[in-house]
Amino acid sequence: MQPPLADARPIVRSHHGDEIEDRYEWLRAKEDADVLAHLEAENAYTASRTAHLEPLREQIFEEIKGRTLETDLSVPSRRGEWWYYARTVEGQQYGIHCRAPIADQDDWTPPLLSPDVPVPGEQVLLDGNLEAEGHEFFSLGSLDISTDGTRMLYGVDVSGDERYTLRVRDLRTGEDLADLIEGTFSGAVFSPDGRHIVYTTVDDAWRPDTVWLHVVGTDAAADVTLFTEPDERYWVGAGFTRSDRYLVIGVGSSITSEEFLVPADDLTATPQSVWPRREGVEYSLTHAVVGGEDVLYILHNDGALDFELVRVAAVDPQGERRVVLPHAPGRRLLDVSAYRDWAVAEYRRDGLARVGILDYATDTVREIAFDEELYAVGESGSAEWAPPVIRLGFASFITPGTVFDYDVARGELLLRRRQPVLGGYEPSDYGQARIWATADDGTRVPVSLVWKRSFGEPGDSPRPTHLYGYGSYEHSIEPGFSVARLSMLDRGVIFAIAHVRGGGEMGRQWYEDGKLLNKRNTFTDFVAVGRHLVDAGYTTPDRLVAEGGSAGGLLMGAVANLAPDLFAGIVAAVPFVDALTTILDPSLPLTVIEWDEWGDPLHNADVYAYMKSYTPYENVQEGVRYPRILAVTSLNDTRVFYVEPAKWVARLREVGADALLKCEMVAGHGGVSGRYNSWRERAFELAWLLDVLGVADATQ
């Protein structure tokens, strides 16, 4: 079967005296019959080219399925008079949200539930399988329970465009109320008194810009606007403090933020700015009561690159600041979450996530220790104001997802659950390590590795290697556990994460050094890591594959142009590969609010020239032998439009590259919905990678 060739319908784009002929921009017309026919042809071609992998795909899917306890329950979390949890049932795609009553007010030990034994007093709140009936796609974007436990709100998206329809359910009767709010963003919540719902909506550029107040039981047409942000560079969000004292409305860009307080008992009051926004200053707050005084703990970067924590009086937040945790270079403070008796601090140090308890009286943090070289950890959060424990999520490359409760008074970690991995999984069969590669400018770039020991230690002899990267928005890629990854490791593949600049793994400067006019560092770091893996004997170019998604897909497209000889294959998921076209159009998502991340090529000639020098679509080269490429996208993605990989693949075909495009016709940025569908999608990608690597099917 011949690959589909998109018609060349040139248009000329001119900026700053530079002209670009774009032959495939016509593919942006999502409703056009020719565009849909082309995408269907791409899917048919990809299906034909990968048909021989069907047995391997099915085997990997069965491996994922066989390692997963399909009928299972999460660890219950307490809220008010109930334990809340989710269950899954073998053969069903979606989770079932449930609750069961607490034994008494002192009951803080989650019940040991069994998927095979009925839970006393269990009430099913929402069954995703029932809600998804009749829909190819289903996603839950909001789920909240009123403080008194009598009502539930939930927001559903059935197309993948991340616009949710909100409904309210009476939990005493199980019936939905008449409330119906269309086109909301995710994260809607009840007010503490349960009489109101606070939600946000987006503008035409998919920017959350307006906060609304809905009175339960009334028509949505009567909803009141609480706050609108007119500046297109900023998004908004809203939520209540754990103390239920305030509604916090947050306004932010990549480099600047401002927060507003509204008393929870007077939600129509004018929002009051905590600190007026200043360009380049970011902050976030949490409310506490210390010594009988309402205070705000504020995390900020005003003169503190890696952030510091201060305390101010809630009645006068712009008054005196008491420094609680001073700026410490190399310790990137990420979040502080206040409870009645103490706060939880989350931060990064030495490339790893950390969690500690902040003592209100001494302004000191007691760090919670873990004994693995690499790991991911974070607070799961609790709706309760005065719990004796905090809930933590922990995992590593070799330790499956683990839930701990940390008893603050006793300083003790209480194991609540470790993700079961069926089929005889033994963590000791696998190894993990941190190594370092040297970038072109001498910067040391951390690399996290995991492998199966029975194939030998990394570096003993060249092995097939799967290298992953992201490197944008100060987002850190953590060394966490993956059931699906075992299908690669058990076939002898080494998995590696390149923690390149632009991410947040090594602190704020690490991010600054990989954005705007430093963005090329992200790409050259990844190439340097790949070359290090080859030079150190871990692998060879014909046994090295790369993967990244979204902004990490931009990374994939850039390194394909920079070092096409270094990789045998590349998977680019929902890839941001036509970045210059997108960032030049203020009407599109990922444009005006993204100028702080990438620069503004529309108004700045230097930024235009710099972006043009690296964006994948414009830099596809003639006369180059590209690695095999699989681009995966979704028709209804509102973050990175399907047209970007569609244009990129069409351009790659012009220069003879072996490139495949797989477009989900009913899905969004996160791909298909439903756990079995997601497993099959991952099996498709992993089978393709194994085929590129030439790895035999046998596992050990």
Side-chain angles (χ1 to χ4, degrees):
M1 185 177 183
Q2 293 298 311
L5 299 177
D7 293 340
R9 305 179 188 178
I11 62 169
V12 176
R13 188 173 67 231
S14 180
H15 292 281
H16 307 293
D18 179 62
E19 291 189 347
I20 292 178
E21 182 182 89
D22 190 338
R23 292 188 285 276
Y24 301 114
E25 177 62 15
W26 67 272
L27 289 169
R28 189 176 299 276
K30 180 179 176 181
E31 307 299 331
D32 187 278
D34 288 349
V35 172
L36 294 174
H38 177 74
L39 295 176
E40 294 287 9
E42 289 281 15
N43 283 341
Y45 177 66
T46 297
S48 173
R49 283 287 310 278
T50 60
H52 66 291
L53 296 176
E54 175 58 30
L56 179 56
R57 290 199 295 265
E58 188 62 26
Q59 183 175 350
I60 294 173
F61 170 78
E62 290 296 336
E63 289 169 5
I64 297 171
K65 186 168 172 281
R67 293 186 180 109
T68 303
L69 186 61
E70 295 177 72
T71 298
D72 201 5
L73 302 100
S74 65
V75 179
S77 296
R78 180 173 160 175
R79 182 175 182 183
E81 306 297 316
W82 299 86
W83 289 107
Y84 290 87
Y85 56 96
R87 60 164 68 247
T88 55
V89 176
E90 183 175 355
Q92 296 186 356
Q93 293 272 17
Y94 301 100
I96 303 169
H97 297 268
C98 308
R99 69 180 181 182
I102 63 172
D104 55 56
Q105 291 300 320
D106 296 325
D107 179 16
W108 290 100
T109 302
L112 298 176
L113 305 181
S114 168
D116 303 317
V117 178
V119 178
E122 179 179 88
Q123 180 183 12
V124 173
L125 306 177
L126 186 142
D127 186 336
N129 304 286
L130 296 178
E131 302 293 338
E133 286 184 357
H135 303 290
E136 293 184 56
F137 182 91
F138 173 80
S139 175
L140 200 59
S142 298
L143 183 67
D144 193 32
I145 309 295
S146 61
T147 302
D148 65 6
T150 63
R151 289 173 174 169
M152 174 182 72
L153 68 80
Y154 63 105
V156 170
D157 166 24
V158 293
S159 69
D161 64 1
E162 298 184 62
R163 288 170 171 82
Y164 301 88
T165 298
L166 273 181
R167 293 178 173 86
V168 178
R169 181 164 297 173
D170 187 325
L171 296 180
R172 293 162 296 194
T173 66
E175 299 296 324
D176 283 352
L177 305 182
D179 303 69
L180 184 70
I181 311 173
E182 304 277 5
T184 71
F185 196 59
S186 60
V189 293
F190 278 114
S191 61
D193 63 11
R195 296 176 52 241
H196 303 88
I197 294 172
V198 175
Y199 65 94
T200 56
T201 56
V202 299
D203 63 12
D204 291 339
W206 196 76
R207 173 183 68 100
D209 70 328
T210 303
V211 181
W212 298 84
L213 184 67
H214 172 77
V215 178
V216 176
T218 66
D219 192 310
D223 290 357
V224 174
T225 300
L226 292 182
F227 184 91
T228 296
E229 174 54 54
D231 193 326
E232 294 179 331
R233 297 175 299 165
Y234 294 88
W235 50 260
V236 302
F240 290 90
T241 57
R242 182 175 285 106
S243 64
D244 287 340
R245 178 72 175 84
Y246 299 103
L247 171 68
V248 181
I249 298 174
V251 180
S253 71
S254 293
I255 62 171
T256 306
S257 62
E258 182 176 16
E259 301 209 332
F260 297 81
L261 295 182
V262 181
D265 57 2
D266 185 12
L267 290 174
T268 58
T270 302
Q272 299 297 311
S273 176
V274 175
W275 290 353
R277 73 186 71 170
R278 288 169 47 205
E279 191 79 7
V281 175
E282 301 167 63
Y283 70 91
S284 60
L285 64 85
T286 186
H287 169 252
V289 180
V290 178
E293 179 188 9
D294 280 321
V295 300
L296 303 176
Y297 283 89
I298 301 179
L299 202 62
H300 73 90
N301 69 338
D302 186 7
L305 182 65
D306 279 328
F307 288 70
E308 76 172 3
L309 181 69
V310 299
R311 193 172 86 194
V312 299
V315 295
D316 183 21
Q318 296 173 40
E320 181 183 358
R321 302 182 184 182
R322 171 177 171 173
V323 176
V324 177
L325 297 178
H327 176 248
R331 181 192 64 185
R332 170 65 165 95
L333 297 175
L334 299 172
D335 187 50
V336 173
S337 184
Y339 293 83
R340 186 189 66 185
D341 301 320
W342 27 258
V344 178
E346 297 186 74
Y347 48 100
R348 299 191 70 85
R349 190 182 67 248
D350 301 328
L352 290 177
R354 318 278 176 166
V355 177
I357 304 300
L358 172 66
D359 187 298
Y360 291 148
T362 64
D363 292 344
T364 58
V365 172
R366 183 206 322 162
E367 186 173 300
I368 303 171
F370 300 94
D371 59 3
E372 295 197 45
E373 178 182 1
L374 299 176
Y375 61 84
V377 67
E379 184 195 8
S380 295
S382 169
E384 291 295 309
W385 176 230
V389 298
I390 62 167
R391 177 68 53 85
L392 300 175
F394 175 90
S396 75
F397 272 151
I398 61 177
T399 300
T402 303
V403 175
F404 290 110
D405 278 343
Y406 181 73
D407 187 310
V408 177
R410 297 164 57 191
E412 181 181 359
L413 277 171
L414 307 171
L415 176 64
R416 297 307 191 196
R417 185 178 191 270
R418 180 155 285 146
Q419 174 189 357
V421 181
L422 308 182
Y425 173 75
E426 290 292 341
S428 60
D429 291 342
Y430 302 83
Q432 62 176 352
R434 169 70 52 84
I435 63 171
W436 299 82
T438 303
D440 294 345
D441 62 0
T443 299
R444 297 178 74 235
V445 180
V447 186
S448 298
L449 302 177
V450 59
W451 66 94
K452 191 169 188 181
R453 296 186 185 278
S454 60
F455 291 93
E457 296 299 295
D460 288 351
S461 61
R463 296 253 298 276
T465 299
H466 178 189
L467 180 61
Y468 188 89
Y470 186 76
S472 291
Y473 303 107
E474 202 179 3
H475 177 66
S476 299
I477 303 298
E478 304 288 8
F481 189 79
S482 167
V483 165
R485 187 187 300 136
L486 295 176
S487 291
M488 299 288 277
L489 301 180
D490 287 357
R491 288 172 169 83
V493 178
I494 297 171
F495 179 77
I497 298 173
H499 302 288
V500 295
R501 282 174 284 185
E505 288 89 343
M506 300 296 289
R508 173 50 67 93
Q509 191 62 53
W510 197 252
Y511 168 51
E512 297 289 345
D513 289 343
K515 64 182 289 194
L516 299 173
L517 297 181
N518 294 319
K519 190 63 205 172
R520 290 182 67 89
N521 285 336
T522 303
F523 317 136
T524 54
D525 281 2
F526 193 87
V527 171
V529 170
R531 296 206 188 284
H532 176 79
L533 293 173
V534 170
D535 294 344
Y538 292 96
T539 191
T540 56
D542 62 333
R543 307 186 83 187
L544 177 61
V545 294
E547 182 180 13
S550 196
L554 166 61
L555 169 61
M556 295 299 102
V559 301
N561 292 328
L562 283 174
D565 59 332
L566 184 58
F567 304 97
I570 291 175
V571 169
V574 290
F576 188 37
V577 283
D578 192 19
L580 185 57
T581 303
T582 295
I583 298 298
L584 281 167
D585 187 347
S587 70
L588 295 176
L590 290 177
T591 298
V592 176
I593 62 174
E594 299 291 335
W595 283 344
D596 287 335
E597 178 77 20
W598 309 97
D600 176 5
L602 185 61
H603 303 102
N604 188 312
D606 291 338
V607 171
Y608 175 88
Y610 188 74
M611 288 193 70
K612 186 184 177 186
S613 75
Y614 70 70
T615 48
Y617 180 59
E618 285 81 9
N619 287 283
V620 172
Q621 305 168 56
E622 303 282 349
V624 169
R625 186 175 184 275
Y626 277 91
R628 291 167 60 184
I629 289 173
L630 172 63
V632 180
T633 187
S634 298
L635 184 65
N636 295 329
D637 190 342
T638 53
R639 303 191 189 200
V640 180
F641 287 178
Y642 72 90
V643 67
E644 300 207 20
K647 290 172 61 176
W648 182 50
V649 167
R651 176 71 183 114
L652 285 166
R653 293 244 177 84
E654 284 188 343
V655 301
D658 182 357
L660 301 179
L661 176 67
K662 187 173 186 291
C663 181
E664 295 295 336
M665 304 305 283
V666 184
H669 194 64
V672 296
S673 68
R675 56 176 179 159
Y676 294 101
N677 293 337
S678 297
W679 297 346
R680 287 199 179 278
E681 182 66 19
R682 192 56 180 155
F684 181 95
E685 295 160 356
L686 296 183
W688 186 87
L689 286 170
L690 288 168
D691 185 55
V692 171
L693 290 169
V695 173
D697 183 40
T699 63
Q700 71 177 60

